[in-house]
Amino acid sequence: MAYEEEKKKLRGSICPVITPFTESGDIDEKTFVELINWQIESGSHGISVTGTSGEPSSLTIAERKRVMSLAKETIDGRVFFTPGTGSTNHDETMELTKYAEEIGADAAMVIVPYYNKPNQEALYQHFKTVADSVEIPIIIYNIPGRSAVNMEVSTMKRLSEDCPNIIGVKESNKDFEHVNRVLLNCGRDFLLYSGIELLCYPMLAIGGAGFISATANVEPKKVAELYNAWNDGDIKKAQDLHFELMPLNDVLFKDTNPSPVKVALGMMGKITPKLRLPLGLPSAEIQEEVRKTLLDLSILSEETAVG
């Protein structure tokens, strides 16, 4: 299987949808379905769940599977679906990736294991074992700020050569030299997605396939329009949207993701802004910054603001 069709399809603005909770801390399935439908209606090209924004380390394996299956059922083929299936535990990663294939996900996003700090050879063996166990396309999720280890380009190149179903990477990596070298070494058809909000537009310019931006949770239409503008050759519009979104990108990362995102969605009346411990809501000062930014960008009005 060459995965050429998948490489053509899996492009655009992929929203890493948050996992909403009720006040009692249970998964709010009704709200989750509403969020996915809103994303699709707003123009997002793809949906991801149980990535960083979905608080996967706060979910049980059974809960992660439930979120994945409910998302797949709700999407119903309208856009592509790439759930996060990685974990700090190898066997759990295998189980969740096989489950993503079982329910018919378009690809699985597998994070570089966090906390463990594996060396590069161990990373290679982990990802190769996972990739060899399934036929579903695999997108590496490289996020050194959270995992405390960076997958080096040489390791990524080995994996792209040895595992045909490893077709791309989400780079939450602020080192722009590194992401340039990913495409140079892994091939220009290797799918490169930005996971850094301020690099969403720049990565398109070097041949990126799109982005997986937490900001899309709050402003899906404009985040998707940025990709559409670039894809249509309207560089001026893409640049304008890049700079227009910067204040929102900045404020949504004033505290650990997805805390400010959930605050924003709460103010918009979309969710109950609840996180599971050990994560918690940001300070009152940051919450006020979020509110002001939403008002300044006309995402909220004084009349519609909640809380």
Side-chain angles (χ1 to χ4, degrees), residues 195-213:
I196 298 291
E197 276 59 28
L198 295 191
L199 294 183
C200 288
Y201 172 71
M203 281 201 202
L204 292 177
I206 63 169
F211 30 81
I212 305 172
S213 168

Side-chain angles (χ1 to χ4, degrees), residues 49-106:
V49 298
T50 60
T52 303
S53 299
E55 298 174 68
S57 60
S58 297
L59 303 175
T60 66
I61 296 299
E63 286 176 326
R64 289 185 68 169
K65 287 181 175 180
R66 175 56 184 158
V67 168
M68 288 163 61
S69 63
L70 183 56
K72 179 64 170 65
E73 176 186 324
T74 303
I75 294 165
D76 194 28
R78 291 177 289 169
V79 297
F80 59 85
F81 177 47
T82 59
T85 61
S87 166
T88 191
N89 181 289
H90 178 75
D91 288 342
E92 287 180 2
T93 302
M94 293 278 284
E95 180 179 347
L96 289 166
T97 305
K98 289 177 180 178
Y99 185 73
E101 180 173 54
E102 179 185 323
I103 64 174
D106 295 288

Side-chain angles (χ1 to χ4, degrees), residues 25-239:
D26 296 321
I27 295 171
D28 187 340
E29 295 192 0
K30 178 177 180 293
T31 297
F32 182 65
V33 168
E34 291 170 352
L35 288 174
I36 289 176
N37 284 329
W38 178 55
Q39 285 293 325
I40 296 171
E41 290 159 6
S42 299
S44 291
H45 306 100
I47 298 292
S48 183
V49 298
T50 60
T52 303
S53 299
E55 298 174 68
S57 60
S58 297
L59 303 175
T60 66
I61 296 299
E63 286 176 326
R64 289 185 68 169
K65 287 181 175 180
R66 175 56 184 158
V67 168
M68 288 163 61
S69 63
L70 183 56
K72 179 64 170 65
E73 176 186 324
T74 303
I75 294 165
D76 194 28
R78 291 177 289 169
V79 297
F80 59 85
F81 177 47
T82 59
T85 61
S87 166
T88 191
N89 181 289
H90 178 75
D91 288 342
E92 287 180 2
T93 302
M94 293 278 284
E95 180 179 347
L96 289 166
T97 305
K98 289 177 180 178
Y99 185 73
E101 180 173 54
E102 179 185 323
I103 64 174
D106 295 288
M109 187 169 64
V110 181
I111 194 169
V112 169
Y114 41 91
Y115 179 75
N116 305 23
K117 297 183 70 174
N119 63 36
Q120 295 298 307
E121 180 59 28
L123 277 181
Y124 172 83
Q125 296 297 337
H126 170 69
F127 275 89
K128 187 175 189 306
T129 304
V130 173
D132 286 350
S133 72
V134 293
E135 291 189 355
I136 190 173
I138 300 293
I139 297 167
I140 297 165
Y141 181 10
N142 192 28
I143 181 168
R146 290 239 188 181
S147 61
V149 64
N150 181 49
M151 181 180 284
E152 295 174 4
V153 173
S154 58
T155 305
M156 208 172 295
K157 183 174 187 284
R158 284 179 69 195
L159 287 166
S160 69
E161 291 173 343
D162 296 347
C163 307
N165 58 331
I166 293 183
I167 65 170
V169 59
K170 175 186 177 182
E171 280 285 1
S172 292
N173 195 326
K174 293 183 178 181
D175 183 348
F176 199 59
E177 288 189 16
H178 167 93
V179 298
N180 276 269
R181 297 187 188 284
V182 167
L183 290 184
L184 177 66
N185 287 272
C186 297
R188 300 276 291 278
D189 65 340
F190 196 65
L191 301 182
L192 173 67
Y193 306 94
S194 178
I196 298 291
E197 276 59 28
L198 295 191
L199 294 183
C200 288
Y201 172 71
M203 281 201 202
L204 292 177
I206 63 169
F211 30 81
I212 305 172
S213 168
T215 302
N217 277 287
V218 176
E219 184 64 295
K221 188 172 187 294
K222 286 186 178 177
V223 175
E225 282 178 353
L226 194 161
Y227 178 84
N228 293 337
W230 172 263
N231 199 45
D232 293 342
D234 192 342
I235 294 174
K236 174 66 163 56
K237 182 177 180 181
Q239 290 173 335

